[in-house]
Amino acid sequence: QVQLVESGGGLVEPGGSLRLSCAASGFTFRDASMTWYRQSPGKERELVASIGNFGISLFHSSSVRGRFTISRDNAKNTVYLQMSSLKPEDTAVYYCTKGWRSFTPGGQGTRVTVSS
């Protein structure tokens, strides 16, 4: 079955950087678009970024554009989210999932806290 394991979250100061990883298994990764979304307590889920199966088609939400970059390594069945210039409002649990601009439930998520 589909397994998605997110990692790389943590506590970071405003302006800092983190790289999230999502290891995928149980499906043909190279054929799948992938998405990162996030959820903060009391807020709706928010789409962060999507990437097409060849890594050419990209989407980044307006709230992260220019600061976050989605990428993938099909040889490693892994999708990444490079996050820079982090802000307190980026604090959330970040999830990856299959699909383009998808909110399909993914893994357990990885928590990112941006605070001084």
Side-chain angles (χ1 to χ4, degrees), residues 22-34:
C22 172
S25 61
F27 63 100
T28 306
F29 181 77
R30 64 178 180 273
D31 290 343
S33 297
M34 298 295 294

Side-chain angles (χ1 to χ4, degrees), residues 10-107:
L11 173 64
V12 62
E13 292 186 349
S17 299
L18 281 175
R19 187 175 83 154
L20 307 184
S21 299
C22 172
S25 61
F27 63 100
T28 306
F29 181 77
R30 64 178 180 273
D31 290 343
S33 297
M34 298 295 294
T35 290
W36 285 97
Y37 65 90
R38 65 188 181 187
Q39 185 150 32
S40 305
K43 293 187 179 179
E44 300 269 334
R45 288 174 303 178
E46 179 186 5
L47 181 65
V48 176
S50 290
I51 186 166
N53 60 326
F54 293 115
I56 297 173
S57 297
L58 301 174
F59 168 82
H60 295 85
S61 71
S62 58
S63 61
V64 306
R65 198 170 296 139
R67 300 188 298 121
F68 292 10
T69 302
I70 190 170
S71 63
R72 65 189 294 158
D73 186 337
N74 285 349
K76 295 183 178 179
N77 284 8
T78 301
V79 60
Y80 304 99
L81 187 68
Q82 178 68 49
M83 308 188 295
S84 359
S85 302
L86 282 159
K87 305 176 182 179
E89 51 263 43
D90 295 319
T91 295
V93 178
Y94 285 72
Y95 301 89
C96 74
T97 191
K98 280 182 63 181
W100 180 258
R101 299 182 66 168
S102 171
F103 286 117
T104 303

